[in-house]
Amino acid sequence: MGRFGRGASPPGFMLQLLLVALSVAALTSTAQAAKAQLVPDFYKSSCPRAETLISSAVNSALNRQPGAAAGILRMFFHDCFVHGCDASVLIDAPGSERSHPANTGLHGYDVIDAAKAAVEKHCPGVVSCADILAVATQLSVKKLSGGRITYKVPLGRRDGRVSSQADVNGKLPRETASVADLKTMFAANGLSTEDMVVLSGAHSVGTTGCDRIQNRLTANPPDATLDTSYAAVLKKQCPPGAGTGGGHECHWEWECQEKANGRVNLDLATPNRLDEVYYKNLQANKGLLTSDQNLQADAETRPMVAANTAFRSFGPNFARAMVKMGNIIYLSGTEGEIRLSCSCFN
C-alpha cells in the first residue's frame, strides 16, 4: 500500500483541487457581488428619461393628494419586509399580500400606477414597478420633510412573481411589539438596532386606526408610559366603538375609509412633517403606539432615541437607513420579471 493509503491522492493533486475550488468560489462570490449592486444610473441607456417621468407623475399626484405620500412611505416598508423590495405588495388579487389585514390601510397605489403608465409610454417593459416604488418613496420622503431629506435611489430591481397573504404573517411589526421583537424582525432583513430606531421615525407622519391603540387607552391600571394629558386627548378622538363608520366629507376613497374607520395621527405635534419631533414625543411619553414608546423605555434604544432628537442627526440617518432598507433583498438580472402593470403579474 502506498504512503497515502489505498485510493488516497498525492498532495499536489489535492492542492490542485483546492485551487479549483477556490477559483469557483471566487467566481461565485464575484457573481453574487455583481448581483448585489444597484446603481443610480441603471436606466441611463435603456430608458434615459425614466426618473424624470416617474418624478413628474408622482409629484403631480402628490400635489393633488398630499396624504398619499405617507401611504407610499409605509407601502415601501411593507413591501421590503416581505420577500424583499420586489413590488409584491402591489399585486391586487385575492390572497395576495395586499389583501392581508396588515396592509388594508395602505394607500397610494394609484400614484404608482400613474408613474408606471408614464414610463410604459416611452419605454415599454423596461422599468420595474419595484424601482418605481423606490423612487416614489424617495420623492414622498422629500415632500414630507419639506425638502430636507433627500437621497439618490440605487436602481436595478426586478418585480417578484410571488405575492401571498400567508407570507405576510410575522413579517411586519405589530403595534404592541417589544423592542426584542423589533430587533429580531429588522435583523432578519439585515438591519441593525440603530437602523430600526431611525426607520421607526417614519411614524412621524401618517395615521393609524383607533383599534390599534385601545389597549393603551383601556389598560387597567392605566398605561404608565402614556402621558395622562395625551391619553385624555386620545380618548376623545377614539371613544369606545370608534371605527363603526358613518358619513364623512372626503375627496379620495382611502381618505373616506380612514375617516370612517376612526383614525388618529401618529405624531400629535407635527403630523404632516417627517421630522425629529417623533423622538421628542417618545421622551415625553407621547408616543402613540406601544411599539414606539417601547423604544424610549428600553435601556439600549433610549440613547438612540435621544441621538435623533436633533434634525441634523435624524435627517442624514433616515436617508442612509432608507437606502440600506431598499438594498436588503431584491431581484436582478433575469430573476423575476418586469411587469407591464404593477397590480398584476405578466
Side-chain angles (χ1 to χ4, degrees):
M1 194 183 303
R3 178 179 173 187
F4 302 106
R6 182 170 298 176
S9 302
F13 179 71
M14 295 301 294
L15 180 60
Q16 287 179 331
L17 283 180
L18 178 60
L19 291 174
V20 170
L22 290 172
S23 297
V24 171
L27 289 172
T28 302
S29 177
T30 300
Q32 290 175 338
K35 175 193 180 315
Q37 293 178 357
L38 299 177
V39 292
D41 59 351
F42 183 80
Y43 296 105
K44 183 177 181 179
S45 299
S46 58
C47 189
R49 296 185 60 205
E51 290 188 71
T52 299
L53 293 166
I54 296 170
S55 297
S56 178
V58 170
N59 285 328
S60 178
L62 294 182
N63 287 336
R64 293 194 305 273
Q65 44 174 327
I72 291 171
L73 175 56
R74 184 177 172 222
M75 187 187 297
F76 190 57
F77 274 78
H78 284 220
D79 182 50
C80 290
F81 270 55
V82 182
H83 294 149
C85 309
D86 65 349
S88 52
V89 75
L90 301 179
I91 297 297
D92 188 10
S96 67
E97 290 176 30
R98 186 166 168 173
S99 66
H100 192 279
N103 290 328
T104 53
L106 294 182
H107 58 269
Y109 296 106
D110 55 327
V111 179
I112 307 302
D113 290 340
K116 178 62 172 175
V119 294
E120 282 299 304
K121 288 181 181 179
H122 292 266
C123 312
V126 173
V127 183
S128 70
C129 298
D131 275 345
I132 290 173
L133 178 54
V135 174
T137 301
Q138 181 270 325
L139 295 169
S140 295
V141 166
K142 183 176 181 180
K143 186 174 185 66
L144 290 166
S145 65
R148 296 195 298 168
I149 302 179
T150 187
Y151 52 91
K152 192 66 177 175
V153 182
L155 302 170
R157 302 168 188 80
R158 287 172 65 86
D159 301 322
R161 289 196 177 109
V162 176
S163 182
S164 170
Q165 185 185 85
D167 290 343
V168 179
N169 295 331
K171 299 291 179 61
L172 299 174
R174 295 181 60 82
E175 63 277 3
T176 56
S178 67
V179 170
D181 291 336
L182 293 172
K183 283 197 227 176
T184 298
M185 206 163 289
F186 277 72
N189 288 294
L191 298 169
S192 68
T193 301
E194 288 190 2
D195 294 329
M196 179 263 288
V197 173
V198 171
L199 290 171
S200 293
H203 282 176
S204 174
V205 291
T207 64
T208 193
C210 286
D211 60 313
R212 305 291 183 178
I213 61 170
Q214 286 297 334
N215 65 303
R216 304 194 74 192
L217 302 182
T218 60
N220 187 17
D223 187 338
T225 66
L226 179 60
D227 178 78
T228 54
S229 62
Y230 184 36
V233 171
L234 292 174
K235 286 177 181 178
K236 289 182 179 180
Q237 294 179 327
C238 293
T244 57
H248 298 275
E249 181 182 354
C250 47
H251 303 286
W252 309 97
E253 182 180 353
W254 62 265
E255 185 183 21
C256 292
Q257 182 183 18
E258 286 202 344
K259 290 182 177 180
N261 289 342
R263 310 285 294 188
V264 61
N265 290 324
L266 285 163
D267 184 336
L268 79 159
T270 55
N272 300 314
R273 179 61 62 91
L274 180 60
D275 57 21
E276 75 284 6
V277 175
Y278 162 84
Y279 299 97
K280 295 178 180 178
N281 290 340
L282 299 186
Q283 291 181 321
N285 280 352
K286 293 181 179 179
L288 182 65
L289 302 178
T290 300
S291 57
D292 289 327
Q293 194 59 54
N294 284 342
L295 300 179
Q296 175 64 19
D298 183 82
E300 180 183 3
T301 55
R302 189 181 307 121
M304 300 175 190
V305 168
N308 284 285
T309 53
F311 187 82
R312 64 179 178 274
S313 297
F314 169 67
N317 288 344
F318 192 80
R320 283 193 295 269
M322 287 298 293
V323 172
K324 185 176 179 180
M325 184 175 69
N327 289 355
I328 52 177
I329 304 172
Y330 59 88
L331 303 175
S332 66
T334 59
E335 297 174 316
E337 63 183 12
I338 302 296
R339 288 185 215 142
L340 302 180
S341 170
C342 289
S343 61
C344 60
F345 301 121
N346 292 344

